């Protein structure tokens, strides 16, 4: 693939993208406050579908008469499906009109939730969960769309606002899943989420403006583009590595947290997982702040602080393995640190990625988020197996190891001898 002196291609380098415009919003609608809030709500609902199953794993195990380790396949299936959706569906955001595409995805997600809620056994539940994960990628279509409707100096703040919506959906989903599942059974959260998603599809069909897709490339070329971009863009590769490792740590903790709280150390119900998740509400305030700091100082400094916060969270979480009020306090503080570090780092990484190629933001996002959720899926899988062999302290050691790997890579990028390793490019904002 031919590149310029800074390693980036422009729309003019790709005949299939000529004449489409580098930005969605170059001569079209701009992103106002109401539309920003609606898109943030869309992110909340879409992301919530990934996380409410985490709070009902013990209930699924009891309801289907299987072990908790086996029941966790429903969570893993959703995340694997989501990763597949990143690769197969998100690139189409550069090719299809955003409004129609979002409505179709949300409709399919709602139908998948209905099937999951009626599943008679684990294989059907896991398959339906994978289908829900595959189609609930609306948040990853929204991000590139919004990035093209705002000027460069506001992009970090808007990304932070959308991520704040995603965080709200994640937190409320865990609380919603735990509370509703405890009172009405594990099927209830799935059956309640389905009409909510379908209603949002109707609202978006009426409220979203028409936008012009930036690419006319065929589907096969769109699928191949993320791999080409990974080869061509060092800042994209390191952003992917940062988020994959940190998100793996995050997923390991939250997948095993339900097992810890409902186990002998605490003896609590599934609702406790949802209540504990509420402490992460502080991240809804932190991510817009992180976005403004990225706009002011660039993503590298924000990434560094976030990795140190995640590393510190591992030590605090380890103190929560003993049970009792001191242990519960440690879990509260530790999960808060982990959530803030992971989500604020996401803002920095996405700001870096979206600045690389305005004409290919969905494809860049595909590469980035596919790597991130491969890390998350691996983290859930590793976390359950480490839990089975070394308990909660083993899970915390896994978190520390993953955070240390991300930090080491970042320090090499900042202080390595080769200037290209830092990803600084005069022609593109950081």
């Amino acid at each position: 693939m031919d590149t310029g002196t800074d390693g980036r291609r422009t729309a003019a380098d790709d005949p299939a993208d000529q004449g489409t415009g580098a930005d969605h919003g170059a001569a079209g609608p701009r992103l106002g406050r109401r539309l920003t809030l609606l898109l943030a709500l869309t992110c909340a609902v879409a992301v919530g579908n990934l996380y409410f199953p985490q709070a009902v794993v013990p209930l699924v195990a009891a309801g289907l008469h299987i072990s908790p380790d086996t029941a966790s396949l429903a969570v893993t299936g959703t995340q694997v499906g989501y990763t597949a959706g990143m690769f197969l569906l998100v690139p189409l955001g550069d090719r299809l009109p955003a409004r129609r595409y979002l409505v179709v995805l949300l409709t399919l997600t709602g139908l998948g939730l209905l099937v999951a809620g009626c599943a008679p056994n684990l294989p059907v539940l896991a398959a339906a969960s994978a289908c829900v994960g595959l189609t609930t990628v609306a948040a990853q279509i929204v991000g590139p769309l919004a990035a093209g409707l705002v000027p460069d100096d506001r992009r970090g703040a808007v990304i932070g606002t959308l991520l704040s919506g995603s965080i709200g959906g994640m937190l409320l989903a865990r609380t919603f899943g735990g509370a509703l599942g405890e009172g009405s059974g594990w099927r209830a959260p799935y059956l309640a989420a389905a009409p909510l998603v379908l209603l949002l599809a109707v609202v978006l069909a009426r409220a979203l403006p028409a936008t012009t897709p930036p690419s006319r490339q065929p589907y096969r070329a769109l699928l191949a583009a993320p791999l080409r971009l990974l080869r061509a863009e060092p800042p994209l590769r390191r952003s992917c590595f940062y988020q994959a490792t940190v998100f793996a740590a995050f997923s390991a903790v939250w997948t095993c947290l339900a097992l810890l709280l409902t186990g002998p150390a605490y003896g609590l119900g599934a609702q406790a997982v949802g209540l504990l998740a509420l402490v992460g509400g502080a991240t809804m305030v932190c991510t817009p702040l992180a976005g403004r700091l990225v706009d002011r100082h660039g993503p590298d400094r924000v990434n560094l602080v976030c990795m140190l916060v995640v590393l510190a969270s591992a030590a605090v979480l380890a103190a929560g393995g003993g049970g009792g009020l001191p242990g519960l306090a440690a879990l509260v503080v530790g999960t808060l640190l982990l959530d803030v570090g992971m989500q604020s780092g996401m803002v920095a990484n996405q700001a870096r990625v979206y600045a690389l190629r305005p004409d290919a933001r969905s494809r860049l996002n595909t590469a980035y988020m596919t790597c991130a959720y491969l890390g998350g899926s691996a983290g859930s899988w590793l976390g359950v197996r480490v839990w089975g062999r070394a308990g909660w302290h083993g899970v915390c050691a896994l978190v520390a190891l993953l955070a240390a790997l991300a930090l080491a890579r970042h320090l090499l990028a900042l202080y390595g001898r080769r200037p290209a390793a830092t990803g600084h490019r005069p022609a593109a904002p950081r």
Side-chain angles (χ1 to χ4, degrees):
M1 179 170 60
D2 295 334
T3 60
T5 57
D6 64 353
R8 293 181 298 121
R9 299 178 73 198
T10 64
D13 297 320
D14 194 337
D17 285 348
Q18 288 181 7
T20 61
D23 259 356
H24 292 299
R30 307 299 290 180
L31 193 63
R33 180 173 179 81
R34 288 185 180 181
L35 183 55
T36 300
L37 293 177
L38 178 60
L39 293 179
L41 176 62
T42 302
C43 292
V45 172
V47 171
N49 294 325
L50 297 173
Y51 289 99
F52 77 77
Q54 292 180 345
V56 298
V57 167
L59 301 176
V60 172
L64 297 180
H65 308 292
I66 55 179
S67 70
D69 286 5
T70 304
S72 68
L73 289 174
V75 175
T76 303
T78 304
Q79 293 178 335
V80 169
Y82 194 69
T83 303
M86 292 292 171
F87 179 74
L88 296 173
L89 301 182
V90 172
L92 287 169
D94 285 334
R95 181 69 176 83
L96 300 177
R99 178 172 58 193
R100 183 170 57 192
Y101 193 34
L102 285 170
V103 169
V104 170
L105 288 175
L106 289 169
T107 301
L108 293 175
T109 300
L111 296 176
L113 288 167
L114 287 174
V115 174
C118 298
N121 51 47
L122 181 64
V124 175
L125 175 60
S129 296
C131 292
V132 169
L134 180 71
T135 57
T136 191
V137 293
Q140 308 313 322
I141 305 299
V142 165
L145 170 66
L149 298 177
V150 295
D152 292 347
D153 61 357
R154 288 190 56 232
R155 187 170 296 129
V158 169
I159 292 171
T161 299
L162 296 179
L163 189 54
S164 181
S166 297
I167 294 166
M170 179 175 59
L171 297 177
L172 291 175
R174 291 196 187 112
T175 305
F176 156 82
L180 188 58
E182 190 79 18
S184 303
W186 69 266
R187 299 179 188 276
Y190 290 95
L191 296 177
L196 178 62
V197 173
L198 294 173
L199 176 62
L200 181 61
V202 174
V203 173
L204 287 176
R206 297 176 60 88
L208 277 182
T211 56
T212 302
S215 175
R216 296 195 302 270
Q217 289 191 4
Y219 182 58
R220 182 181 298 179
L222 293 176
L223 289 183
L227 294 177
R228 293 199 300 266
L229 289 166
L230 276 170
R231 289 197 301 267
E233 302 287 353
L236 174 61
R237 289 198 298 272
R238 64 188 182 97
S239 295
C240 290
F241 183 78
Y242 297 162
Q243 198 63 28
T245 50
V246 173
F247 191 49
F250 177 87
S251 296
V253 167
W254 280 104
T255 300
C256 296
L257 195 58
L259 304 177
L260 174 66
L261 291 177
T262 58
Y266 288 94
L268 300 175
Q271 188 175 4
V273 182
L275 293 175
L276 180 60
L278 289 177
V279 304
T283 54
M284 296 180 66
V285 178
C286 292
T287 51
L289 174 61
R292 290 193 290 271
L293 291 174
V294 168
D295 288 335
R296 184 178 304 173
H297 301 293
D300 283 345
R301 293 182 184 179
V302 176
N303 273 138
L304 178 60
V305 173
C306 291
M307 291 169 190
L308 293 172
V309 169
V310 172
L311 189 60
S313 75
V316 178
L317 286 167
L325 287 178
L328 192 58
L331 292 180
V332 169
V333 175
T335 53
L336 178 60
L337 289 173
L338 180 62
D339 284 11
V340 169
M342 194 277 287
Q343 301 289 3
S344 297
M346 173 79 84
V347 176
N349 290 327
Q350 286 190 311
R352 183 187 295 111
V353 168
Y354 288 154
L356 295 174
R357 284 279 306 270
D359 63 297
R361 288 193 175 110
S362 286
R363 285 163 283 178
L364 288 164
N365 200 41
T366 295
Y368 170 72
M369 294 303 299
T370 298
C371 292
Y373 275 90
L374 281 173
S377 299
S380 294
W381 186 86
L382 284 172
V384 170
R385 276 137 192 87
V386 170
W387 166 270
R389 290 167 174 77
W392 181 249
H393 289 96
V395 175
C396 295
L398 176 64
V399 172
L401 174 62
L402 292 167
L405 289 173
L407 181 61
R409 175 64 183 89
H410 191 51
L411 293 176
L412 285 174
L414 293 180
Y415 304 113
R417 292 182 179 179
R418 292 180 299 173
T422 65
H424 294 164
R425 297 187 176 194
R430 292 167 56 201

